[in-house]
Structures are given as structure tokens and as C-alpha cells.
Amino acid sequence: MNRKTLALSAAAGLLAPVLAGCGGSGSGSDGDAIVVGTTDAYVATKDAPAPFDPAFAYDASAWNILRQTVQTLVHVPRGGGVPVPDAASDCHFTDHENESYRCTLRSGLKFANGKAITSADVKYSIDRVRNINDEAGPVSLLENIDTIELAGDEEIVFHLKTPDATFPYKLSTPAAGIVDRDTYAPKKLRDGLKVDGSGPYTLKTETKGDEVVKAVFTKNPNYKGDLKIENDKVEIHPFADSAAMGKALSDGDIDMMTRTMSPEQIQQMSASPKEGINLVEIPGLEIRYLAFNTNDPSVRNKAVRQAMAQVVDRGRLASEVYGATAEPLYSLIPTSISGHSNSFFNKYGDPSTPKAAAILRTAGIHTPVKLALHYTTDHYGSGTAKEFKVLGEQLNASGLFDVTVQGTKWSEYRPAQKKNEYAVYGLGWFPDFPDPDNYIAPFLDKGNFLNTPYVNTAIRTTYIPDSRRATDRNAASKTFEKVQDIVANDVPVLPIWQGKQYIAARDDITGVEWAVNSSSDLQLWELGRGVS
């Protein structure tokens, strides 16, 4: 059939496929691997020697490997919503204050190698992440754990330092993945590109030097959990860019391409359908933003950051660079998440050079302010270079800034950013879980993943803890609005846009509409081969 665009809509917090009946319901029983293309690079480097270790990995590309291979006690179900048991048979808070969380393991749970899993393995795995405490890792997701209590081989109780209604979501992330102590040392990262776990797949990587050229996922016969696996084998093939990935799909070398398709590809595939290929739009929660080393002399005065917020034209940037695939964002919390507030627009309104000049003049800042904007060349897709070119042009056109733009490979970029070597830099955020807390705490709480020197005591000691007491997440909206207003005033980060996400796949591949969730997590177990 002709390639057509399938759209998924979000309703009541769940993702519902508009054309769920398209294709068959095969399970890959013919034994052929389903091949998925990506522009993500998987590289072991001196600064990042353990990219697939749950104690280190904290980016969407690495988590997309771990979610297939390392099992967690709970997982977010196919269409979103409250986490449900996976390695566990039951998990629940045992008190009204959300401070004690008890899980019971499934009976007969095993690692892929056949070794039995007990509650002690769960405790070991989570303690390991906390003990290693890698500054680039996801340890902040587990920082609120006070003690872990074992009640026999199958029960485990997490006692929290403070109430946290979001804790089940944190347990659903690879940070809480269950690992085998025989292959993962208690206080040392596991270097290299291997993963062992109890998830739906085992992993074998083919490498060239220290870089993965093919990741082969084979159905784990020992997997016991909530997921239904629709295939026997999936391969991920990394590509240098979206153009090469698109050609491979057209040539039949791959069955599906995911992150990151270029805006031009999406537009072309929408306007000129190609026989046998479907383009699927999936609700997305990705955001892009500028962040600041607020200790750097060039941006230490918040007037400089406020002036940038006043000058940047998000709407023009989004439309010029990304077209219909992005929309302007005026808060860290995207529009589709409860608690969102257009705080930046409320404070700054439409872009205005005179207003920005007044901000700088009042603060006694001499213009033009000289800045370097840093971005990564190979992590967020081909549009990033154009995006930063446009950002630089907008700032320079005001006459208030003298901006240069510098791009760096991700393997070098992320370590440098963590060391605060950049005054101004761009990053994207794919949420760990779909809750407003996950757009605030990772940027502003103690131990945040940016390693930012910016500290707001009210946010850390009052607003974040208060928001986590609310079991009804809508009840925390007022608290999140206060945080967003503080961010708009202090500008430790500058939100730019939020994006949609797309997958293109051959029309005999089923389950495509579920293969990526709203948090951009790959769910390879959903893919199968069927009838067009």
C-alpha cells in the first residue's frame, strides 16, 4: 500500500493508536531479525568507558539499550500511566505518606544466564548505583532512598527519607535495573559495551574499535515479566546521519528508522508517500534548551541570561529549522504535562531588542556581550547545527551580543559540559518518566545531571519536597508553577522548543505505533512481522 502518515493521540494520560488495526499481528516467527536504524552512536571512551552500565548511563540512547536487557521491579505500561509490576508481582506504598514502598518478586525469576534472582540482588543493584555515585550517572533518581530492607528472598522494602509519590516511576528506570553481582562489581563501573540482565532480550554487540556497529537483541528464554514479546530477534544499526539511515530504509536494508529523522525527511515523507513505507507520528515529551554555567563571568549576572531570554524568537526558530515537528516552549515543563505554565512568555512576552537592551543597561552590562554557544554535533539529529546557527544569528542581530557557535562530538561534549567547561550550551531532555517532577528536579535539585552551580534554596528544600507529597499529581500544579516562575526570573536554563517524534517503517512491520513511547523509550518487544 502507499505509505501514509499514522498519528497517535494522547488522551487521559494514555497513548491510543488512531489506526491500531493497520497491519497484521505476527510475532516474527519466521526467524528473520527486524532491523532498526538509529543515528545514535554507542561509543566507549576514556571519559565514558562504561556507556551501558546502569550506574553510569543517563541518556536516551544508552537507556534504549538497557530497557531491552535490564529488568526493573516495575515498568510504565505500553500507553503510559502509573507503573505496573514487571520483575515484581506486586508493589505498593504501605503508608499514607508515600515513604515506605514494598515489592514482592515474581516466583522463579532468573537472569538470562539461568541464575536465580532474589531480593538481595535487587538491593545489591540499587546500592551499587548509590555507592558508585557517578557524577554523570542517574544516582539522583535514587538519592531519596534512606534504607532498603529485605523480608526473605522475595520481598524488599524501600524506606524513603522524605515522601515521594514519584518513587515508583524512578524504580521503573534503568537506574534501578537488576544486575548480576558476578559481572557487576559493587563499587566499580563495568567498562565496555556488554550488558547482562533479566530483561526481554540478551545483547550481543559487533564493534569497530570502541564503537558499536550492530546491536543484536535476542529473545531471552528466561524472561519472566509483564511484557509480551512479539519477535525473536531485533537488530539496531547505527548510521552516521539521517540521510544514510533513510537510504537504508528505502533500499530495504533496514525495516524501521527511529531517532533521529531530519525535519526534511519527515516533510518529504509526508508530502510524497513512498510505496511500502509508513510514517508514524507519536506524541513526544522531548524538550530542547540552553543551559548556563552561572559561575562563568560571561553569564554570571542574570541580566545577561534574561536579555537572551528576551531576544530569542522561539517561534521563528522552531518553524525555520524544524517546521511542523517542533513548537516553541516557554517553560521547562512541556505543554502536555500537568503543571505546565508559560512562565517565560508571561515574564518576557514577544521577543524585543529594546527590552533586552534595557535589562542590560539597568544592570550596567556593556554591550555587545561576547559569548560562545556550544552544541553537540552527533546526538540530537542533523537539525541541531542549523538550530544553533539560527540562535547565534538572532542574538547577534540584536547588536547586544557577539556570539560564536561551536559544535563538538557527544563523546567529548557531555564530559566537558559536566565539568562546567562551557558557559552556554544546548541539550535535549527526554524524560525519565512522564511527570512534572522529572522536568524540574533533574535540572535544579541537589545532584542534578547538569552539575549546575545554580542553587535556589526554596526550590530544593521546599517546593520539590512539597510537590512529591501529592499522590494526585494535579494537586502539585501550583507548586510547580512557582518553580517555573523562579526559573523564568533567574534563567539558569532557557527552554527553546518541544518536539514531536516520528518513526518510519516498512508496512509489513507491526506494532510500530507502540515501538517508542512518549518519553522516547524504545520498546522493541512490540515489533513483529505481519501482513500489509
Side-chain angles (χ1 to χ4, degrees):
M1 67 179 181
N2 285 336
R3 197 254 344 124
K4 53 182 179 285
T5 301
L6 313 182
L8 303 185
S9 62
L14 299 178
L15 302 179
V18 174
L19 292 177
C22 182
S25 58
S27 60
S29 58
D30 59 4
D32 292 341
I34 296 172
V35 184
V36 176
T38 181
T39 58
D40 286 334
Y42 308 107
V43 188
T45 68
K46 180 180 178 180
D47 289 318
F52 295 157
D53 190 319
F56 177 84
Y58 200 16
D59 64 82
S61 57
W63 274 20
N64 279 338
I65 298 293
L66 291 176
R67 287 191 186 276
Q68 323 308 316
T69 51
V70 177
Q71 194 175 18
T72 50
L73 289 169
V74 294
H75 77 105
V76 176
R78 168 196 268 188
V82 178
V84 298
D86 187 25
S89 60
D90 175 74
C91 285
H92 61 277
F93 281 106
T94 60
D95 64 333
H96 295 297
E97 300 299 321
N98 298 328
E99 286 185 299
S100 181
Y101 194 73
R102 179 182 291 264
C103 290
T104 302
L105 294 185
R106 290 180 186 269
S107 178
L109 201 66
K110 297 179 181 180
F111 288 109
N113 62 14
K115 179 182 175 182
I117 296 175
T118 69
S119 57
D121 294 302
V122 179
K123 182 179 186 298
Y124 175 87
S125 301
I126 292 176
D127 282 343
R128 177 178 178 272
V129 176
R130 298 166 69 208
N131 290 333
I132 290 175
N133 195 28
D134 191 276
E135 66 173 12
V139 66
S140 60
L141 292 169
L142 306 175
E143 279 191 337
N144 196 32
I145 297 174
D146 185 15
T147 60
I148 301 176
E149 175 189 354
L150 300 182
D153 286 342
E154 294 187 348
E155 289 196 72
I156 184 167
V157 185
F158 300 92
H159 300 287
L160 307 183
K161 299 173 185 175
T162 59
D164 187 3
T166 72
F167 185 67
Y169 287 100
K170 294 169 182 174
L171 281 186
S172 75
T173 70
I178 305 168
V179 298
D180 185 349
R181 66 185 70 200
D182 290 341
T183 50
Y184 291 84
K187 295 184 179 180
K188 182 180 182 299
L189 292 173
R190 182 182 183 180
D191 292 354
L193 297 162
K194 293 183 178 180
V195 183
D196 293 294
S198 58
Y201 296 97
T202 60
L203 172 68
K204 181 178 180 181
T205 58
E206 295 183 14
T207 60
K208 183 177 181 180
D210 292 323
E211 184 168 2
V212 174
V213 295
K214 181 192 294 186
V216 181
F217 298 90
T218 303
K219 185 177 180 180
N220 174 14
N222 286 323
Y223 171 71
K224 293 188 68 173
D226 188 57
L227 303 175
K228 181 181 179 183
I229 307 169
E230 298 289 346
N231 58 70
D232 294 323
K233 183 178 289 187
V234 182
E235 296 177 2
I236 290 182
H237 291 200
F239 289 86
D241 52 48
S242 55
M245 180 170 62
K247 183 178 186 301
L249 182 66
S250 296
D251 292 347
D253 295 332
I254 63 175
D255 298 299
M256 186 178 95
M257 62 178 181
T258 175
R259 50 174 276 152
T260 304
M261 297 176 63
S262 71
E264 294 78 14
Q265 280 179 322
I266 295 165
Q267 182 179 4
Q268 182 180 22
M269 294 181 73
S270 297
S272 303
K274 186 168 183 179
E275 185 74 23
I277 296 176
N278 293 328
L279 179 67
V280 182
E281 178 188 331
I282 298 172
L285 298 174
E286 171 193 8
I287 68 170
R288 298 285 180 89
Y289 57 93
L290 292 178
F292 301 90
N293 172 7
T294 53
N295 280 347
D296 190 279
S298 63
V299 294
R300 181 181 297 141
N301 192 317
K302 72 179 179 182
V304 175
R305 309 192 301 268
Q306 290 175 332
M308 293 176 69
Q310 186 66 75
V311 166
V312 171
D313 189 336
R314 296 168 176 80
R316 185 167 70 84
L317 183 147
S319 62
E320 186 175 334
V321 180
Y322 295 102
T325 68
E327 58 186 22
L329 179 63
Y330 297 93
S331 168
L332 276 174
I333 301 174
T335 57
S336 49
I337 293 288
S338 64
H340 166 81
S341 174
N342 284 320
S343 298
F344 274 83
F345 188 83
N346 295 339
K347 181 172 179 63
Y348 301 101
D350 293 324
S352 170
T353 294
K355 288 182 180 179
I359 292 170
L360 294 171
R361 185 167 56 250
T362 300
I365 304 293
H366 297 291
T367 58
V369 178
K370 191 171 184 178
L371 295 173
L373 299 186
H374 293 267
Y375 73 96
T376 178
T377 57
D378 60 346
H379 195 65
Y380 298 117
S382 59
T384 311
K386 184 177 180 181
E387 174 185 346
F388 274 77
K389 180 175 182 291
V390 171
L391 273 172
E393 289 171 348
Q394 287 187 5
L395 293 167
N396 286 337
S398 71
L400 303 174
F401 298 94
D402 178 9
V403 168
T404 57
V405 176
Q406 299 177 16
T408 306
K409 288 185 177 182
W410 179 253
S411 59
E412 300 171 11
Y413 183 84
R414 176 65 168 145
Q417 176 269 310
K418 288 288 293 183
K419 295 174 185 175
N420 284 312
E421 293 179 8
Y422 305 142
V424 190
Y425 54 92
L427 283 174
W429 180 250
F430 302 88
D432 306 324
F433 49 88
D435 185 274
D437 178 272
N438 199 235
Y439 290 91
I440 297 298
F443 301 88
L444 303 171
D445 205 359
K446 181 182 178 182
N448 63 80
F449 93 105
L450 290 177
N451 194 31
T452 176
Y454 172 80
V455 175
N456 184 284
T457 303
I459 291 176
R460 290 190 179 183
T461 63
T462 301
Y463 295 136
I464 290 177
D466 284 354
S467 72
R468 289 173 175 170
R469 289 187 175 91
T471 302
D472 178 0
R473 303 309 290 151
N474 290 323
S477 293
K478 292 295 183 183
T479 301
F480 285 119
E481 288 174 11
K482 293 176 183 177
V483 174
Q484 291 167 89
D485 288 344
I486 292 172
V487 172
N489 182 70
D490 292 355
V491 201
V493 290
L494 177 56
I496 303 295
W497 58 267
Q498 72 178 82
K500 303 174 185 177
Q501 54 184 356
Y502 294 83
I503 295 176
R506 308 200 70 79
D507 64 5
D508 65 335
I509 301 300
T510 62
V512 175
E513 65 271 25
W514 302 113
V516 176
N517 66 17
S518 63
S519 298
S520 298
D521 302 325
L522 269 179
Q523 301 178 145
L524 297 179
W525 53 86
E526 297 283 0
L527 297 175
R529 291 193 187 274
V531 179
S532 171

